[in-house]
C-alpha cells in the first residue's frame, strides 16, 4: 500500500487518504501516476479494512491536468501507418478512461477535496468521485479546448449529472476558469470552504460518518446509485428489489433495528 | 372514497385532498396504510371528477417513514428456506414499490405539501409526486442507511431528476437531516414557506390553477413528461408527435383557441 | 444568405447573427419563418466561414410563439377522414420538430439572446440552442396548456437537461409566467443581465471567444456532448474514444501544443 | 379455480391445463374470456402447487381471434368527443395487452398446444407463451390487416424473437394463412405433429419433465430469460449475477449436487 | 417521376417498379445512382398513388456493389489535413447511409427481387427493404472485407434481424459467396425461385395483394414494426396502443368490419 | 504462451489453436482452467502475430462443464454472514463471466470446433465465440437446471442471438440433450460434420481464409458487429461511420483497391 511513486496513501480508522504527490509539477498526470491511480482504487476495492477514501493533492494545487510530456511520449509510440495509429490511439484513450473509471468500480465512496488548480484531466478525475468539496478559491477549467481537442477522459460524460447542459456547454466551449464558489453554485462541487483547513476538517468529518455506517449497505448504495444513473426509474426499481432480496438478509439490518430500539450504536463488520 | 382507515380523503372543486392519518404514530407507514395509498391513487386515476390531488400529513408530521412493526411482520412471513425466502422478499419489495408508483400511473398531477418530519419511506413517497412544497422547518432524511440497508422504494431512483448526483450521494451515505430550506435550494422541493398556513394556501392555489386547465391536456402532459424522463430527446419527440396526432383533434384545442381570441374563459369537460 | 423574408442574417468575423424579424407580430412563428429557421441552420452547418451563431429577435420581443393563423391553416389542410387526418397531423408535427432540431444538427454552437416575450413555441426554439442568456425582465411561459394542448416541439423533451423535474412540472401544468431572473435561477438560461445592451455585449463576447478556438474541436465538442446527453456514461466514453481516435490526429492539436509552449496564439483553419 | 365461464381449468400433478372453452364460436375472444385469461394466469402465478401450464382450445379450433361483437361493444362505449374517445381507446388497448402480458408475468412456464384455427388475436395470445407446439394442419394468420388495422396486442412485438423480420413482414402485410408445418419451419412454433393426439402426448410429456425440476430454478429461469430478451448481453450478465447471489443459496442447489453424486432423484419443494 | 438517369421507374395499379439501370456496369452504385435512390424513395413516400414498391436490377445482375470510381472521386475530395479529412469522410458515409435508410423512412413496403450478382453495397441496399426474394442462382457476398474495410452502409446493422450471429460472422469475415438457396435457408431472403420469370411473377403477386389492403393500415404496420425492431416488447406495446388510439378511428376499420360481415371487398382510399 | 497447465496453445501461420487439456476429466472447468482461459484470450488480443483463434478440446470431449469440486471450493470460501456471503458470491460469478467475455473483448475472431460432450458451462464458453462448428454426434445440453440453478455465465444471454426464443426456452427448461445436427438446424452451430477429421479440416480452412484478410479490418469487423448486437440500427450506423472515419484512412484500403484492379493478392501487415 505504500509502494507508490506519485501517491501518498495512508489508511487510518477505516478511512484511506490518497494524495496526488508530485507537487513540483503541480501534480500533473504523468504515465506512472495514471497507472498508480488505477492500482490504488483496485486495492481500495479489495482491502476489507477500507470503508471510504479521500482524494486530494499535495502542495499548492490539486492537479494541473495531463502532463504534456505524456502527450509527446504517447504520440511517438503510435506507429506510422494511419489506420493502426488510430487503432493504437483509441486503445490508449480507453486505458486512460479505465483508470479513472476504477474510482466508480471501487465499491466504496471516494470524496475529492480540492484546492488550488483543478484543470483539464483533473476535472475528469474528480467527476468520477462520489462527492466533491473545494476551497472557495480553487480554480477549475475544462481546458482541453485550448489544446484544440475534445476532452475524452470523463468530464463531458459525468458533468451532466452534476450541473445543467447550458452551463456545461459554456464551460466546455470557452474553457474559461471558474472558482470553487461558482462550482458549488453549479452543483459541480457539493460545498466550498474559505480555506484548506476548514475544507479538510469537513471532509474528514464526512468520511468519519460514512465509515461508521454498515459497510455492506454503503457498498450496496454506491452500486445501486451507479446503476440508477444509467437506467430508467423502472429498471432501477427492479434492480434494487433484486439486490435487496439478498442484501436484506444480512445481519446488519437486524443489528441496526435492534440498536435503533435500544438506542445503542452498532459496530458493523467490514 | 371514505372507507380508508389511515387516510382522510376529501374531494371538492375537482381537487382531492389526501391526508396520511395516523398522527399518534407520526403517520408511520404500516401495511394497511401502504395498501390504502395504492387504492386511493387507483381511484383518483379512474374518478372523472378529480383533476388534481394534494398529499399531506395529519398532525405534527408529514410521515416518519416505514413502521418498524411492519418490518418485523414482513420478516416473519418469509419462510425458512433461504432461496424461497429471498424470492418472497423480492416480491414484497416490488409490491411496496408498485403502491408508490401508482402516484405516477395516476394520470392526474399529485402535489405533496410537507411539514414536520419526512423521513425514510416518506421521501420515497414524495419523490413519486409531481411537485413538492414544504415548510422551511420540515425535516428530511434518507434514513435507510441507519437501518443498515439500501433504500429500495424509489428515493434513489427518482431523486436524480430533482437534484445533482453529488448532493444525492452525500445525503444517502450520511443519512443526515436537511431542512425544507436546503431541500428547496437543492431542487428536492419546489419552494418552501415560513409556516404551514402559507404552505397550504399556496398549494391550494396551485391546485386550483391546474384544475381549471383542460383535464385532457393535463393528463396528456403528465404522461408525456413521464415518458420523456426515461427516454432520449429523439424518442420523446417522436412519442409526443404520435400522442398529439390524436389529442390535437380534441374539442379542447378549438375551444381554447376561440376563447383566446375572444378573451373569454373555457369550462372544459372532465 | 440574405434571401430570408422573416430573418436577418449577418456573418462577420466567423460569427453569424440570426435575428427573427417580424417585429409587428412580435416575431410570431408563421409557416414561412419556420421553414427559414430550418434553412438558415442547414446553411450554417455547411458554410465553412461560420464558427458560431447568435439567435435573437428584432423589436420589443424575442418571440411570442406560434402564430395562431398557422394553426388555422394547418387545421384546414388535414382532410376529413379521421385516420388520414391524424396521419397528416403527425407528419406536420414531425416537420415542425425537425426544423428546430436542425439547431442541434448544425455542428456549430448556437447562442440564444433573449429579451421581451419568449412564449410557447419560442421556448421550444431556445431549448434547442447550446446556451441561453436573457435580460432580467424577459418573460417566459410554457403557454401551450392554455391552448388546451401538450407542447410538442421540444420544450418538454429538452428542459429536463436544464432544470429539475419538479420545476418543469409546475411551469408546464400552470403555464405561469417567469422572468429572466427566475429562469437563470432554475438553469433555464445561463445568466441574466439588467438590460439588452449588456446582454448583447456579453453574448458577443462569448461568441468571439468560441470563434477563436479550433473549429474542428468545437464541432467535435458539440456532437460529443449531444451524444452524451442521450447515452449512458459507459457508452459516452466509448464513443469519444472512437471519435478522438481520428480527431486527435488533426493538425490543431500539434499547433495548440506548440503555441502553449511558446505562449503564442494559434490561427486555426475553418 | 373452477369458476370460469369460458375456460376449463384442471390442475393435476403440478401441471395446470387451461382450455379456451367456447367451442360453438371457435373460442373467439369475447370480453369475459379476456378477463378470465388475466385472472387464470394471475392465479397460476400465486398458486404454489402449479409448476407449469398448458394452454389449448376446446373443440375444433384453438381460437379464431377477437370476437367481432366485442369490437362493436367497445366502439360504443368510447363517447363522442374525439380527444376523450382516443384516450379511452388507448386505455382499452393497454388493458387487452395487460391481460396477455400476464402470461409473461406469471413466473411459471406456459406451453401452447395449437390445433385448428389460430387467427388474429389468437396469435397475440400464443406469442406471449413460453413455447408453442402445433398440429401440422393448424392454420395461422396475422389477420388484422384484413380488418384495416395494425395488430396491437403483442404479435408484432413478440414474433421478432421467434422468426426473422422478412418473414414477419410478409405475414403481416399479406395476412396470408400458414400451416403448422411452415410455422415450425419459421420458428413460430417449436415443432409440429401429425395429429392432435401426438401433439397432446408430447406437450404433456414436456410439461411433466419441467414439473420435476426445481420450481425455484424454473421460476428464476423464466424471469431471467425475459430480462435478457429486452436487455443487452452486458446488462443480462450483471442481472443474473445479482439474481443468483441469493438464488444460489437455496437448498435446491445443494440437494441437486448431492443427488447428482449419489445418482438419486430430488423431490423439490414448490 | 421519369427524370432518373440510372433508374427505371414505372407506376401502375398502385405498385411502383424501380429498376437499377446501368446494366453495362452491372448496375454498380455510382454517385448519381446513389442520389437517385434517395430521391425515388422520398418521392414514393409522398406520392399518394403508390402503395408498394418493387426494387430490381436491369440486365444480368441485380447490382455489383459500389462503383470503384466513386471511391476514387470520394477519396480525392476529402482535403489534406487529417482531422478535417476524417470529418469529411464521416459526413460522406452518413450521407450514403441516409440514402438507403430512406427505404425504411418511406412509409410503404419495398420488396427486393434479386437475380445475378448482389455484392457488397447491394447487400446494404436490400437489407433496408421490407422483404427480399431471389433466384436460386443469385450470388451474394459481403465483399467489403476484400477491400480491406468494414462494411458501413447497413448490412452489418440490419442482417442480424434476418439471420443468426454465427452465420453473419462467417459471411462477414470470409466474404465468401453464397447463393439464393443458402440465403433463403439463412433467412436473408424470404424465398428463392428457379428462374427470373417465376421470381417476378411471385413478387408481382405479393405486391398486388399488399396494394389491395388498407393503405393507412399498411403504412402504420411498417412504422410500428420498425419501431418494434429497435425497442423492447414493453415499449413496443405502449407505442402501438398510442398509435392505434387515433388510427383505429379511421374509416378503414368500420368499412373492413362491414365488408367482413357482408363478405364483400373494400376499395380503400389511398 | 506455453505456460498453461490445462491448455495447449500453438501459434502457426497467424492462427492460434487453443485446446482445453484435461482429458481424464473430460476437460471439466476447474478454477485454474478458468483463469487460464482469461489469460490466453488477453494474450491473443495483445499478440500481434495472432489473427484468428481456434478453440477445441483434447481427448474424447470438448468439455463437460464446470468441475463439481470447483463448486464445493467456491461454496466454502464465501464466509458465514448471509449478506457478505451473497456479496462474495456475486463477485465470484462476475469473475467467471468476465473470463469468458474476454473471448469477445479479444479483437480477433475465435472459432469453436466441438466434438463429444459440450455441457453446461461449456455452452456458456462456446456462445462467447464468433462461430461454432461441430460433429454431427456432438452432444449439447443446458444442464444447469438439473443442478437446481439458473445458468449464469452467458448461455442464456448469448443464445438468443443464435436461435429463436421458443427453442431456447425448451432447451433451458428441460435441460435435454441435443446433437450437433439439431444444433446446426437451430443456428446454435454454423454447420456440422460427419467426423472430427472433416470438422477440423473445415475449421482450419476457414481460419486460414480469415488470416489472409486485412487484420485491421477483421479487428474492426468484430468490434463493430459486437456493438451492433447491443444497439439499435440507427446507433449502429452512426457508430460505424465514426469508426470508419479513421479506419478508412488505413493503407489496407488503398492496397486492396490496387490489388483488386491488378488482380494480385495483398500481404497485409499485422
Amino acid at each position: 500500500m505504500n509502494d507508490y511513486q506519485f501517491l501518498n496513501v495512508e489508511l487510518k480508522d477505516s478511512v484511506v487518504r490518497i494524495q496526488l504527490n508530485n507537487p513540483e509539477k503541480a501534480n500533473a498526470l504523468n504515465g506512472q501516476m495514471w497507472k498508480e491511480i488505477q492500482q490504488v482504487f483496485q486495492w481500495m476495492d479489495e482491502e476489507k479494512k477500507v470503508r471510504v477514501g479521500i482524494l486530494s493533492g499535495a502542495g499548492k494545487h490539486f492537479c494541473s491536468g495531463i502532463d504534456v510530456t505524456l502527450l509527446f511520449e504517447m504520440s511517438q509510440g503510435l506507429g506510422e501507418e494511419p489506420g493502426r495509429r488510430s487503432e493504437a490511439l483509441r486503445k490508449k484513450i480507453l486505458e486512460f478512461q479505465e483508470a479513472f473509471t476504477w474510482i466508480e468500480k471501487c465499491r466504496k465512496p471516494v470524496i475529492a477535496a480540492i484546492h488550488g488548480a483543478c484543470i483539464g484531466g483533473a476535472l475528469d478525475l474528480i467527476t468520477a468521485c462520489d462527492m466533491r468539496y473545494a476551497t472557495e478559491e480553487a480554480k477549475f477549467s475544462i481546458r482541453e479546448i485550448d489544446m484544440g481537442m475534445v476532452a475524452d477522459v470523463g468530464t463531458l460524460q459525468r458533468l451532466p449529472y452534476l450541473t445543467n447542459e447550458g452551463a456545461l456547454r459554456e464551460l466546455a466551449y470557452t474553457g474559461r476558469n471558474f472558482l470553487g464558489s461558482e462550482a458549488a453554485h453549479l452543483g459541480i462541487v457539493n460545498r466550498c470552504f474559505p480555506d484548506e483547513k476548514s475544507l479538510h476538517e469537513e471532509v474528514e468529518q464526512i468520511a468519519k460518518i460514512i465509515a461508521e455506517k454498515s459497510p455492506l449497505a454503503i457498498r450496496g448504495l454506491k452500486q445501486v446509485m451507479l446503476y440508477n444513473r444509467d437506467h430508467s426509474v423502472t429498471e432501477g426499481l427492479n434492480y434494487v428489489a433484486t439486490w435487496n432480496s439478498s442484501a436484506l438478509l444480512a445481519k446488519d439490518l437486524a443489528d441496526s433495528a435492534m440498536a435503533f430500539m435500544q438506542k445503542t450504536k452498532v459496530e458493523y463488520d467490514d
Side-chain angles (χ1 to χ4, degrees), chain A residues 258-270:
Chain A
M258 190 63 76
F260 173 77
M261 285 179 304
Q262 300 178 343
K263 311 210 173 204
T264 58
K265 201 169 167 179
V266 196
E267 299 278 345
Y268 299 100
D269 291 342
D270 282 327

Side-chain angles (χ1 to χ4, degrees), chain A residues 66 68 71-72 143-150:
Chain A
I66 198 167
V68 260
L71 281 179
F72 279 99
R143 187 60 52 83
E144 284 86 345
I145 191 62
D146 287 334
M147 297 301 279
M149 62 177 282
V150 176

Side-chain angles (χ1 to χ4, degrees), chain A residues 54-90:
Chain A
I54 298 173
L55 178 67
S56 64
K60 288 165 65 178
H61 298 288
F62 178 75
C63 171
S64 60
I66 198 167
D67 191 326
V68 260
T69 60
L70 174 55
L71 281 179
F72 279 99
E73 283 164 34
M74 219 177 83
S75 164
Q76 271 154 10
L78 295 175
E80 284 301 312
E81 195 279 306
R84 281 153 190 81
R85 195 174 162 82
S86 276
E87 191 191 33
L89 186 53
R90 182 171 178 273

Side-chain angles (χ1 to χ4, degrees), chain A residues 113-115 133-137 191-206:
Chain A
I114 305 144
H115 74 290
Y133 301 86
T135 56
E136 284 165 11
E137 299 300 321
R191 264 194 299 288
C192 62
F193 298 90
D195 51 43
E196 275 193 72
K197 186 158 172 296
S198 52
L199 166 66
H200 286 292
E201 278 171 7
E202 175 72 4
V203 167
E204 285 286 340
Q205 183 56 23
I206 293 172

Side-chain angles (χ1 to χ4, degrees), chain A residues 45-145:
Chain A
D45 182 54
E46 288 290 342
E47 174 52 60
K48 298 210 164 161
K49 274 183 279 180
V50 181
R51 297 188 176 187
V52 60
I54 298 173
L55 178 67
S56 64
K60 288 165 65 178
H61 298 288
F62 178 75
C63 171
S64 60
I66 198 167
D67 191 326
V68 260
T69 60
L70 174 55
L71 281 179
F72 279 99
E73 283 164 34
M74 219 177 83
S75 164
Q76 271 154 10
L78 295 175
E80 284 301 312
E81 195 279 306
R84 281 153 190 81
R85 195 174 162 82
S86 276
E87 191 191 33
L89 186 53
R90 182 171 178 273
K91 210 172 163 203
K92 205 74 204 160
I93 300 170
L94 291 171
E95 281 170 27
F96 283 148
Q97 293 176 346
E98 175 76 1
F100 287 2
T101 294
W102 264 99
I103 299 179
E104 285 185 4
K105 289 193 185 175
C106 169
R107 291 163 301 154
K108 298 145 189 182
V110 179
I111 311 173
I114 305 144
H115 74 290
C118 178
I119 307 293
L123 254 172
D124 294 281
L125 181 61
I126 62 163
T127 51
C129 296
D130 288 77
M131 287 113 79
R132 284 145 298 279
Y133 301 86
T135 56
E136 284 165 11
E137 299 300 321
K139 198 177 74 179
F140 299 84
S141 163
I142 309 179
R143 187 60 52 83
E144 284 86 345
I145 191 62

